[in-house]
Amino acid sequence: MVRRSKEDALATRQQLLDAAEHVFLAQGVAGTSLNDIAVAAGTTRGAIYWHFKDKADLFNAMMDRVAMPMQQALAMVDGAEEADPLPGLKKALRSALRQTVTDPQTRRVFEVATHMVEYVDSLCAVRERHLRVREQWTQRFRHVLLKSAAARGVRLAIPSTAAAHGLHALMDGLVQNWLLEPAAFDLESTGMKAADAFLRGVGLE
């Protein structure tokens, strides 16, 4: 019975997160109430508060479901034993772009995160999460770029922190613009060409 109760609780949590994705996308995060999500999930507000502290906590859990695989891929590159981690970084970037294009859930959640969030008071924790994730990505980019430069015996053309922020802004901006109009360009192909050009510009290709 205990195992069954845990399975039921997990299933309810997933229902709530699934519902949140769709309602946030339709109404925006600030314009969605917890009751809206409960109704869409076929549960009660009490069920939401059993699993999540507030709307921001639910939003962050929704993001974690799709962001974690990409963060793990980049963490593997960051901690890899290869002398030159650049090929692994490019592979991780391609994987992230492909996941955005081919996985409906990833695409839906990224669209919510980039186009349907207002940083009002009740969503300060969401802004903090965005800043924290950006910092994690740029720090990993910086580490990989420096390690690759050392392995190749070259010096980066710009400071490593600037290079890391630039690469993050490039990839993040491409995804945001692709989500506005997916038919406008091929995200994976364009993204990798842009990344290659950027890496050549900083002296790594």
Side-chain angles (χ1 to χ4, degrees):
M1 288 296 293
V2 172
R3 179 179 178 182
R4 183 59 187 172
S5 296
K6 289 182 178 180
E7 291 175 350
D8 289 343
L10 181 60
T12 298
R13 187 176 191 275
Q14 297 305 316
Q15 282 178 251
L16 291 167
L17 291 172
D18 290 342
E21 288 179 12
H22 292 279
V23 181
F24 283 156
L25 185 60
Q27 301 178 187
V29 179
T32 296
S33 69
L34 291 179
N35 190 62
D36 292 335
I37 295 171
V39 170
T43 63
T44 64
R45 286 187 60 181
I48 293 181
Y49 285 116
W50 176 262
H51 293 279
F52 307 102
K53 181 173 62 177
D54 51 27
K55 184 163 63 174
D57 187 36
L58 189 155
F59 176 93
N60 286 333
M62 178 195 74
M63 287 297 302
D64 285 340
R65 290 204 301 181
V66 301
M68 285 305 295
M70 289 182 288
Q71 290 176 358
Q72 289 168 357
L74 189 56
M76 289 175 64
V77 174
D78 193 14
E81 296 181 358
E82 286 81 359
D84 185 356
L86 195 64
L89 172 62
K90 292 170 69 173
K91 184 177 180 180
L93 292 177
R94 182 178 293 277
S95 176
L97 294 174
R98 183 175 297 159
Q99 181 178 333
T100 303
V101 173
T102 61
D103 181 52
Q105 183 182 42
T106 298
R107 181 170 166 177
R108 184 166 56 244
V109 170
F110 279 8
E111 188 168 354
V112 169
T114 56
H115 299 308
M116 305 301 289
V117 175
E118 298 176 39
Y119 295 133
V120 295
D121 290 344
S122 62
L123 296 176
C124 285
V126 171
R127 181 178 184 275
E128 290 169 3
R129 182 191 192 282
H130 281 172
L131 293 174
R132 184 173 65 252
V133 170
R134 184 188 68 185
E135 180 66 15
Q136 291 171 351
W137 278 80
T138 53
Q139 285 300 321
R140 284 171 174 162
F141 282 160
R142 180 176 179 273
H143 181 267
V144 169
L145 294 174
L146 283 172
K147 188 174 179 181
S148 180
R152 295 172 183 230
V154 300
R155 184 172 181 174
L156 295 176
I158 59 176
S160 59
T161 299
H165 277 290
L167 182 56
H168 177 267
L170 173 65
M171 304 309 292
D172 188 59
L174 281 166
V175 170
Q176 289 196 38
N177 279 276
W178 180 82
L179 287 169
L180 285 172
E181 188 182 4
F185 60 93
D186 183 307
L187 179 61
E188 182 180 342
S189 174
T190 301
M192 293 313 299
K193 288 176 182 176
D196 285 341
F198 180 89
L199 293 169
R200 282 196 299 271
V202 298
L204 290 179
E205 290 283 23

